[in-house]
Amino acid sequence: MAARLSTTDTIALTLLLLAAGAGAQAQIRFEDTAGKTGPKFQLRNGAAGKFHQPELMLGGVAALDYNNDGCMDIFFTNGAEMPSLKKSGPEYFNRLFRNDCHGAFTDVTEKAGVAGEGYSMGVAVADYDNDGYPDIFVAGLNRNILYRNRGDGTFEDVTAKARLGGVDAHYGKLWSVSAAWVDIDNDGWLDLVVSNYVQWDPKLEPTCGTPQKPLYCHPRAYHDTPNQLFRNNHDGTFTDITESSGLGAQLGKGMGVAVADYDGDGLMDIFVANDSVPNFLFHNLGHGKFEEVGMLAGVALNDDGRPVAGMGADFRDFDNDGRPDLIFTAMFNDTYPLFRNTGAAPAFEDVTARSGLAVATRMLTGWGIGLQDFDNDGFKDVFAANSHFPSMDQLLATDVSLPNSVLRNQGDGRFKDVSKTAGADFQLPGQYRGAAFADFDNDGRLDVVVSNVNGPARLFRNVTPNAGHWLALKLTGTRSNRDGIGASVTVTLAGGGKIYNHCTTSVGYASSSEPLVRFGLGDSAGARLVQIRWPSGRVQELHDVKGDQVLQVREP
């Protein structure tokens, strides 16, 4: 288990990084390059004025290097005609765009064989069969899809063969929103957790509002459903262990999924953001068993003691104390809650107000989110993809479309909203949903791709001037899973301070980000020590590591 920083150590690290000028003068800035070099994509929800609930919830985006050329590609989920749930034309295809490593993206959907069927919602990417190529899981309405990467630029739909069709014996076909690949038992093979929203049948859908002014219904109009957990059998198939694991005993309205080892016991835990009902935190007990501890741990409700409309989530250490914290988006007046991991009982405290996030996000509705270091100063910032629900324009007397948000981590436990100075392109409003984080141009600064309902997707290239040094680890597991998902990494800077991160692709809302473990180093040109705790339990140390590189690391 990595050593935890005391409050004194955390303050000392903060002063060290700030005194060193660790990106302190850097102004986070983005420019949208999607309109120039791609990807050119519009997320279609199939809405035709009938107010079907799934129209609100699309959709996710993934960053992945599907052809292993060292450049991150992009996959978008897409909708279908409502309420038939059938894709009626190419405008409804899921889309895969290949990065040419020179800034341009080419649509390779049909050649790759990933156009998909049905109404797709979320995406999770990882190498589930340990063959060295990333595979794609698509979460959808009444149908999920698993695409196995053949390694030749094409994918095979192995959903039925893998037994991942998304059908539950008790609840029928389920509406899946998000998913996460995670090795729950550290056996070297990735398992799959899927968040499910509500029971929905177009023939039984309730109507809300009035005949003159129909509205989308509140989530309370629909029955809750369980999330699902599938154990990897090491042979290309999965076993549904939802009931035996304990996940099936909890019914909710699942949206974003995030994973981390929050208590440092070497086992990955699962957080599910629920819509308008208490959130779930599934504590991993080992041997395929979980205990739901959201209320005990302090993350089920906000500081006012009420559930919020949770959407996307990230599970990452924002204050450099060695413990992963929790943040998730919600809707207007909920704020975007931030729970700090205390390392004691209860495990988390609500620091939304103290951090400045309450004021900054109270008037927003958010979807995708990520705790990522955009200026490489050693502190993780917040990016949120925003837009209000349709019909809120009349209630709030404002437009449904919103710009996105970026809040700079000031290193003292507080965040500053710097959205308005992040560039002209960043001010463009939209109905933004999923967000995926990756360095698409390999310049060491983290970029963001964002889906947009019935509008152009945005690829926000990070053009922050005077950003700090950086280091990214591309892990290859041997005893652990091939991607190293679940590995925790501690970087000791030249001055002695420590910063932390862990490997996961499950970030935000219905989306999947790069598998690299990334660090901003500020003014430090490298790391004195990099310590990796692999899911297998093996600890690896690398000494005197140069910065400004993607370092390939193989588990010994």
Side-chain angles (χ1 to χ4, degrees):
M1 175 176 173
R4 303 301 194 188
L5 289 184
S6 67
T7 301
T8 301
D9 291 333
T10 303
I11 294 171
L13 172 61
T14 300
L15 295 175
L16 172 69
L17 288 169
L18 293 179
Q25 304 304 314
Q27 172 60 57
I28 298 172
R29 293 184 64 85
F30 297 97
E31 64 177 21
D32 178 21
T33 61
K36 304 170 186 175
T37 58
K40 293 179 171 58
F41 173 79
Q42 288 199 21
L43 177 60
R44 307 283 186 178
N45 65 358
K50 300 299 182 181
F51 294 87
H52 298 293
Q53 201 73 7
E55 297 165 4
L56 295 174
M57 303 303 180
L58 290 176
V61 56
L64 72 161
D65 184 5
Y66 83 97
N67 55 359
N68 285 348
D69 65 353
C71 301
M72 299 302 293
D73 313 297
I74 298 173
F75 177 88
F76 292 97
T77 65
N78 208 351
E81 286 192 339
M82 292 291 295
S84 69
L85 307 184
K86 294 183 180 293
K87 296 186 184 297
S88 60
E91 70 272 19
Y92 286 109
F93 285 176
N94 299 329
R95 290 286 175 187
L96 176 63
F97 293 89
R98 186 185 67 235
N99 186 341
D100 72 354
C101 298
H102 299 288
F105 290 81
T106 301
D107 190 334
V108 295
T109 304
E110 295 179 73
K111 178 181 178 181
V114 292
E117 297 179 20
Y119 205 87
S120 300
M121 305 291 295
V123 56
V125 174
D127 181 7
Y128 78 89
D129 55 359
N130 289 334
D131 68 351
Y133 291 92
D135 309 296
I136 302 173
F137 177 81
V138 178
L141 183 56
N142 298 348
R143 185 181 192 275
N144 298 329
I145 307 171
L146 177 62
Y147 290 112
R148 179 182 174 273
N149 192 332
R150 294 188 178 105
D152 61 358
T154 68
F155 291 78
E156 175 188 6
D157 183 343
V158 296
T159 313
K161 186 187 303 182
R163 302 204 296 265
L164 287 176
V167 177
D168 182 273
H170 301 292
Y171 292 89
K173 294 182 177 180
L174 294 171
W175 175 356
S176 301
V177 173
S178 299
W181 292 103
V182 56
D183 187 355
I184 63 165
D185 48 10
N186 293 336
D187 65 352
W189 296 81
L190 290 171
D191 311 296
L192 181 68
V193 59
V194 181
S195 71
N196 295 308
Y197 190 49
V198 298
Q199 296 181 43
W200 182 84
D201 185 332
K203 298 177 182 177
L204 302 174
E205 188 169 25
T207 57
C208 295
T210 66
Q212 293 76 29
K213 289 187 177 181
L215 299 171
Y216 291 102
C217 294
H218 189 276
R220 71 171 68 94
Y222 299 88
H223 293 294
D224 298 355
T225 60
N227 302 297
Q228 291 171 289
L229 183 61
F230 298 90
R231 186 185 64 227
N232 192 325
N233 296 327
H234 311 179
D235 61 0
T237 69
F238 293 80
T239 297
D240 188 341
I241 61 169
T242 301
E243 297 302 325
S244 65
S245 68
L247 266 67
Q250 308 296 327
L251 303 184
K253 295 178 169 70
M255 300 284 270
V257 179
V259 295
D261 177 10
Y262 80 89
D263 57 352
D265 64 356
L267 297 169
M268 294 293 281
D269 309 297
I270 302 167
F271 175 80
V272 179
N274 279 316
D275 187 359
S276 303
V277 296
N279 302 313
F280 296 145
L281 178 58
F282 293 105
H283 178 224
N284 193 336
L285 303 175
H287 308 289
K289 303 292 185 182
F290 288 81
E291 178 186 12
E292 202 290 299
V293 297
M295 199 70 71
L296 291 174
V299 297
L301 309 170
N302 68 5
D303 209 25
D304 296 329
R306 64 181 181 87
V308 302
M311 257 81 94
D314 201 1
F315 211 157
R316 222 176 281 270
D317 181 7
F318 83 89
D319 55 357
N320 287 332
D321 67 353
R323 295 183 289 264
D325 310 295
L326 265 170
I327 190 171
F328 51 97
T329 48
M331 69 178 295
F332 170 81
N333 212 37
D334 282 338
T335 74
Y336 298 172
L338 176 64
F339 290 95
R340 180 180 173 270
N341 190 336
T342 67
F348 295 86
E349 61 173 336
D350 188 336
V351 296
T352 314
R354 188 195 316 166
S355 70
L357 283 171
V359 171
T361 65
R362 186 172 300 280
M363 302 301 291
L364 302 175
T365 298
W367 301 81
I369 195 165
L371 278 168
Q372 307 286 344
D373 188 352
F374 294 109
D375 53 5
N376 290 335
D377 68 347
F379 296 100
K380 298 177 187 69
D381 313 298
V382 173
F383 178 97
N386 301 321
S387 74
H388 290 310
F389 285 99
S391 303
M392 288 181 68
D393 51 349
Q394 298 179 19
L395 175 65
L396 302 177
T398 187
D399 195 356
V400 170
S401 298
L402 293 173
N404 295 305
S405 298
V406 61
L407 298 102
R408 188 175 189 271
N409 189 333
Q410 300 183 88
D412 59 356
R414 294 183 58 81
F415 292 84
K416 179 181 180 181
D417 190 346
V418 295
S419 307
K420 293 188 182 302
T421 58
D425 291 346
F426 202 72
Q427 314 310 313
L428 297 171
Q431 294 187 56
Y432 298 115
R433 291 293 192 267
F437 305 90
D439 182 5
F440 291 105
D441 55 1
N442 289 329
D443 69 350
R445 293 172 291 188
L446 202 61
D447 312 305
V448 192
V449 59
V450 189
S451 62
N452 185 7
V453 177
N454 299 323
R458 308 290 183 195
L459 177 54
F460 290 115
R461 179 172 176 260
N462 189 337
V463 293
T464 300
N466 304 315
H469 293 288
W470 58 278
L471 177 66
L473 305 184
K474 177 68 172 70
L475 303 180
T476 300
T478 53
R479 293 174 57 190
S480 303
N481 66 84
R482 179 72 179 242
D483 287 334
I485 287 177
S488 61
V489 183
T490 304
V491 168
T492 302
L493 300 171
K498 294 181 179 181
I499 50 181
Y500 301 82
N501 209 345
H502 68 277
C503 185
T504 178
T505 60
S506 178
V507 180
Y509 179 73
S511 296
S512 190
S513 292
E514 66 173 17
L516 278 65
V517 188
R518 188 172 291 275
F519 297 87
L521 303 179
D523 276 0
S524 296
R528 189 172 75 190
L529 175 67
V530 174
Q531 185 182 70
I532 305 166
R533 179 183 174 182
W534 293 88
S536 66
R538 182 167 293 182
V539 176
Q540 181 177 9
E541 292 188 349
L542 308 172
H543 296 267
D544 299 322
V545 177
K546 293 182 179 180
D548 301 325
Q549 65 165 324
V550 175
L551 181 65
Q552 307 272 346
V553 183
R554 184 177 180 86
E555 182 181 15

